[in-house]
């Protein structure tokens, strides 16, 4: 990052802000200091006060107590217009853009370029200016006359950022910018943010993806219950530590891993192979044990999990469940052997969104509830028990699963297998897309499964999470298990080196 | 509190739009169409406009529940009819001939099952293909589509029982329909098979990932659809003592219409047996009422179409309102 003049001084400073809505306090003494030229992360659970704080900076709310200071000057009556004049611009995925406007109209809305001294719009100048910025920062051309409604989420965001850049901003505020983006688009956004930062633009970045914060930011402020509970330099902290601050728990509590003495071997994999995907994969899994699998996309880890559940047919090797060899590639046979898969694509494969909580929970275990006809009372009681045990937040067991939050949908996907009385759980990215509080509950649930004598296999690309919840960890690289770790005796950095193949490369070089 | 009451009220309205529509057309024809309310006419509505269509529509309800459709229900009716008549003509006992008829219809379902569950062709295209193949097959079997008559003298009384008999004063076709309706309702809403079929129709991939054999369930569904439709082939043949090639297709559009009208009866818009029955009643009452009002056949079709539009629109709009509340 380039050293910019005046770097280090506060460009935005909020002090002891109190903001009430009716009787409720959204902010109760929150402070935030964003230094000029920094990339500052702001995190907090839903309801922590992030958006209220942002709206104060944007001039959309006014503080009941406390001060808002921009560039060293206190503003009592900040308005959205004034905030823009001071050089603060906001990127929010569904704000500001009128769908029926063209790209050109949206870019210059409210600050159209005119022929000097006339009221007439200088369309050519506007076109030049936007094309120049689009080319410079994004290396692409967006048709000036395309309708906003016809753009993809990523393109809409580009329009928003371009709109802000036209005004030569001092501070850019990104509010959950990656929520609607696919991975590749998000990576492009991160590149852009780094470049803007290098050019001296101050960035305030709000996200609940802690990994993004750690990758991108210099400093992070954690909000909890309307207060800032910590502001830390990102170097020297970790996503887990930030997460623990957000939910006010120690890291130990974030990963509530019970101590379970492993029981007998229930799953034995020997030299398992699937041509072109993975080869010579061997491991065992015991009752009460939580085994982690990790690797890059295409490393074979995910394919191993699919094969174990019978979704793919292996081309070599053996799988034994409780000492009995398994031959059929058939999920029905796998579930009969008490295997359970909680798939990564929860909304497609894990739960049926238009079926009720009950119908989803008992889908894999209807045999338990029917002798000819389904005993709806028994089915309901079982579901109510599981809803209580897993603390699933739902508007009753008859509510459709699509009305539940991501974390609660995931719990229903797990409840389905608890109802099936499964004993070997294969969890594929179990915490993808759920908020931090639900993540902790899912971690607790994994621990509870192990305590009750289940064998659990967790596949995740979140290494910190894996080290927190597992006993052992297998790293996959190019279709093979390249390294095994005892989870409590290693560090994320060490694991990451193997995940990316650095260890392999070294070994071959040496 | 108020919003809860309101949303349950709108859900109620969505649910009963169909009943209200039925009551409204009934009242309308009672007032306008001469002779509509007479006992004889109402019985004729049930026997002629309701019974057979209801069975085909119930069959269709299973296909739609599974997330598909069966355009070849008429083919199953025809094949059952052809097999039944042929076996009777060959001098087989009536009971055996009837079983053969059911098997003939079920064969159409087996064919569909192979195409849909085995090869993976979409139900719409697969059953459309079966419809065409079935029509040609019947023409080949009957020298280009000649009806197969049973000689009036040679028809045993037992043969006519299904179509013309009564038990305790109730026409047999109505009794069979009642049995099919009750059985289908139990299977679809109260058995494992019904639940899994519904789940497969809503989100097939979850069924597979739940360790259930999706293709087996799909195959079974299409065989069941054709077997239910085959019952109509038996009753129809018994009523008219003739097999007319490709005559079963007359039920197809009304069966689809009744099934989708019926979905408005479910709070979540799912296909369901009681809704389908109400849908068939609605279509039957309208057809009969318009006939008695002296409107010509083509206007009857327009009336039926308009009715389907309005019931579906009301049901859909109310469900949307309920979802917003």
């Amino acid at each position: 990052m380039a050293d910019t003049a005046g770097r280090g001084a506060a460009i935005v400073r909020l002090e002891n802000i109190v903001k009430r809505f009716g009787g409720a306090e959204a902010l109760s003494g929150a402070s935030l200091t964003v230094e000029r030229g920094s990339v500052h992360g702001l995190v907090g659970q839903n309801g922590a006060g992030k958006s209220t704080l942002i709206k104060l900076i944007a001039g959309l709310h006014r503080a009941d107590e406390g001060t808002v200071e921009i560039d060293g000057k206190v503003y009592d009556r900040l308005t959205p217009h004034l905030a823009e004049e001071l050089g603060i611009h906001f990127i929010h995925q569904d704000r500001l853009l009128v769908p029926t406007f063209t790209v050109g109209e949206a870019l210059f809305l409210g600050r159209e370029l005119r022929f000097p001294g006339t009221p007439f719009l200088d369309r050519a100048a506007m076109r030049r200016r936007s094309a120049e910025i689009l080319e410079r920062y994004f290396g692409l051309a967006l048709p000036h006359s395309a309708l906003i409604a016809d753009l993809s989420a990523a393109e809409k965001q580009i329009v928003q950022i371009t709109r802000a850049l036209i005004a030569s901003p001092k501070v850019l505020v990104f509010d959950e910018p990656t929520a609607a983006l696919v991975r590749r688009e998000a990576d492009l956004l991160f590149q852009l943010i780094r470049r803007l930062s290098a050019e001296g633009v101050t960035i305030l970045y709000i996200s609940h993806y802690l990994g993004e914060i750690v990758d991108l930011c210099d400093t992070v402020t954690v909000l909890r219950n309307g207060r800032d509970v910590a502001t830390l330099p990102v170097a020297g902290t970790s996503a887990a530590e930030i997460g623990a601050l957000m939910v006010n728990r120690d890291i130990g509590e974030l990963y509530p891993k019970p101590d379970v003495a492993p029981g007998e071997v229930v799953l034995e994999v020997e030299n398992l192979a699937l041509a072109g995907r993975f080869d010579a994969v061997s491991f065992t899994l015991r009752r009460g044990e939580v085994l982690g699998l990790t690797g890059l996309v295409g490393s074979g880890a995910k394919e191993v999990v699919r094969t174990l559940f019978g979704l793919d047919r292996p081309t070599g090797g053996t799988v034994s469940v409780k000492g009995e060899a398994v031959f059929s590639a058939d999920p029905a046979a796998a579930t009969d052997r008490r295997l359970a898969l909680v798939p990564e694509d929860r909304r497609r494969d894990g739960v049926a969104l238009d079926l009720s909580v009950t119908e989803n929970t008992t889908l894999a275990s209807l045999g338990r509830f029917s002798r000819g006809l389904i005993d709806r009372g028994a089915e309901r009681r079982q579901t109510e028990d599981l809803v209580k045990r897993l603390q699933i937040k739902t508007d009753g067991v008859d509510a459709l699963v699509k009305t539940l939050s991501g974390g609660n949908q995931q719990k229903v996907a797990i409840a389905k297998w608890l109802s099936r009385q499964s004993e070997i759980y294969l969890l594929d990215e179990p915490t993808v897309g759920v908020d931090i509080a639900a993540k902790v509950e899912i971690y607790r649930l994994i621990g509870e499964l192990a305590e009750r004598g289940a064998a659990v296999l967790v596949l995740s690309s979140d290494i910190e999470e894996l080290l927190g919840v597992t006993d052992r960890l297998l790293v996959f690289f190019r279709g093979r298990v390249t390294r095994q770790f005892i989870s409590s005796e290693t560090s994320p950095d060490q694991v990451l080196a193997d995940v990316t193949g650095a260890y392999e490369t070294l070994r071959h070089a040496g | 509190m108020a919003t809860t009451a309101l949303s349950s009220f709108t859900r109620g309205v969505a649910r009963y739009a169909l009943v209200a529509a039925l009551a409204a057309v009934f009242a309308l024809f009672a007032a306008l169409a001469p002779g509509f309310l007479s006992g004889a006419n109402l019985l004729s509505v049930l026997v002629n406009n309701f019974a057979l269509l209801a069975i085909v529509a119930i069959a269709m309800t299973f296909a739609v529940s599974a997330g598909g459709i069966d355009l070849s229900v008429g083919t199953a009716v025809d094949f059952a009819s052809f097999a039944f008549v042929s076996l009777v003509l060959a001098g087989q006992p009536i009971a055996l001939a009837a079983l053969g008829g059911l098997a003939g219809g079920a064969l159409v379902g087996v064919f569909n099952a192979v195409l849909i569950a085995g090869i993976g062709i979409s139900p719409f295209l697969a059953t459309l293909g079966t419809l065409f193949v079935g029509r040609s097959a019947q023409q080949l079997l009957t020298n280009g589509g000649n009806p197969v008559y049973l000689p009036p003298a040679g028809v045993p009384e037992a043969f006519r029982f299904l179509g013309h008999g009564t038990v305790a004063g109730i026409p047999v076709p109505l009794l069979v329909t009642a049995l099919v309706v009750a059985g289908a309702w139990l299977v679809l809403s109260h058995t494992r098979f019904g639940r899994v079929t519904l789940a497969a129709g809503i989100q097939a991939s979850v069924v597979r990932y739940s360790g259930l054999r999706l293709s087996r369930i799909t195959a079974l569904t299409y065989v069941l659809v054709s077997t239910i439709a085959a019952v109509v082939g038996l009753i129809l043949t018994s009523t008219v003592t003739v097999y007319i090639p490709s005559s079963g297709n007359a039920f197809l559009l009304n069966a689809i219409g009744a099934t989708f009208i019926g979905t408005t009866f479910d709070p979540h818009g799912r296909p369901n047996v009681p809704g389908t029955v109400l849908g068939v009643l609605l279509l039957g009452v309208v057809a009969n009422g318009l006939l008695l009002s002296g409107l010509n056949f083509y206007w009857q079709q327009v009336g039926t179409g308009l009715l389907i539009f309005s019931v579906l629109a009301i049901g859909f709009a109310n469900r949307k309102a309920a979802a917003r509340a």
Side-chain angles (χ1 to χ4, degrees), chain A residues 127-167:
Chain A
R127 199 176 294 257
R128 270 197 310 276
R129 182 101 177 90
S130 63
E132 178 199 331
I133 287 176
L134 281 169
E135 173 55 37
R136 182 158 151 229
Y137 288 96
F138 302 97
L140 57 73
L142 272 184
H144 214 68
S145 52
L147 282 185
I148 294 297
D150 295 334
L151 301 183
S152 72
E155 288 169 333
K156 280 184 200 160
Q157 196 171 62
I158 287 174
V159 171
Q160 281 202 11
I161 297 173
T162 308
R163 180 181 152 81
L165 292 179
I166 288 169

Side-chain angles (χ1 to χ4, degrees), chain B:
Chain B
M1 270 328 274
T3 47
T4 323
L6 190 69
S7 77
S8 68
F9 174 75
T10 37
R11 267 201 295 275
V13 172
R15 181 132 199 225
Y16 295 113
L18 181 51
V19 180
L22 185 58
V25 293
F26 196 87
L28 185 75
F29 289 128
L32 297 182
F36 178 79
L37 268 184
S38 76
N41 181 59
L42 291 180
L43 188 67
S44 129
V45 168
L46 284 180
V47 175
N48 299 325
N49 298 73
F50 172 75
L52 297 187
L53 177 58
I55 297 175
V56 182
I58 292 295
M60 185 64 74
T61 302
F62 276 97
V64 176
S65 286
I69 197 157
D70 188 347
L71 301 178
S72 64
V73 280
T75 313
V77 171
D78 294 332
F79 272 52
S81 176
F82 177 75
F84 190 30
V85 167
S86 305
L87 288 169
V88 170
L89 277 176
Q92 297 295 331
I94 296 296
L96 190 69
L99 274 182
L102 286 180
L107 201 63
V108 175
V110 171
F111 190 66
N112 285 333
V114 169
L115 295 179
I116 297 165
I119 304 178
I121 303 175
S122 83
F124 185 91
L125 293 178
T127 58
L128 185 65
T130 305
L131 172 66
F132 285 127
V133 171
R135 190 151 64 188
S136 304
Q138 291 178 62
Q139 284 169 346
L140 290 170
L141 287 168
T142 58
N143 291 323
N146 293 316
V148 179
Y149 293 95
L150 285 178
V155 179
E157 198 43 44
F159 181 87
R160 294 170 47 85
F161 177 74
L162 265 181
H164 297 281
T166 59
V167 172
I170 303 168
V172 171
L174 269 186
L175 279 178
V176 174
T177 305
L179 283 177
V180 169
V181 166
W185 176 73
L186 274 180
V187 169
L188 196 58
S189 0
H190 291 274
T191 67
R192 207 177 158 183
F193 171 76
R195 176 73 62 78
V196 175
T197 301
L198 188 71
I202 282 176
Q203 216 170 312
S205 154
V206 170
V207 169
R208 184 156 170 265
Y209 275 80
S210 296
L212 298 161
R213 296 195 165 98
L214 182 60
S215 51
R216 189 179 291 183
I217 291 150
T218 308
L220 207 57
T221 304
Y222 283 92
V223 175
L224 181 68
V225 169
S226 291
T227 310
I228 297 174
V231 173
V232 172
L234 303 188
I235 300 177
L236 196 63
T237 314
S238 162
T239 310
V240 295
T241 65
V242 60
Y243 155 70
I244 303 168
S246 300
S247 56
N249 290 335
F251 294 108
L252 176 62
L253 294 182
N254 281 336
I256 295 174
T259 301
F260 281 97
I261 289 175
T263 61
T264 63
F265 190 61
D266 181 89
H268 302 309
R270 299 173 181 169
N272 64 101
V273 171
T276 298
V277 170
L278 288 171
V280 174
L281 266 179
L282 186 63
L283 293 179
V285 167
V286 169
N288 177 266
L290 288 175
L291 185 76
L292 291 182
S293 317
L295 277 172
N296 79 30
F297 177 75
Y298 302 104
W299 282 110
Q300 287 179 41
Q301 300 285 305
V302 173
T304 309
L306 286 176
L307 197 75
I308 293 180
F309 284 142
S310 33
V311 171
L312 287 178
I314 293 169
F316 182 72
N318 277 323
R319 207 162 48 246
K320 254 182 100 172
R324 261 201 308 274

Side-chain angles (χ1 to χ4, degrees), chain A residues 84-123:
Chain A
E84 282 211 352
E85 281 195 344
L86 292 169
I88 306 178
H89 292 263
F90 295 81
I91 312 298
H92 184 279
Q93 56 164 14
D94 40 47
R95 223 185 275 154
L96 286 171
L97 292 180
V98 183
T100 52
F101 274 22
T102 65
V103 168
E105 287 165 341
L107 284 175
F108 291 91
L109 177 64
R111 42 168 195 265
E112 290 82 358
L113 301 181
R114 296 190 168 79
F115 290 109
T118 72
F120 302 111
L121 302 180
D122 186 348
R123 289 177 195 279

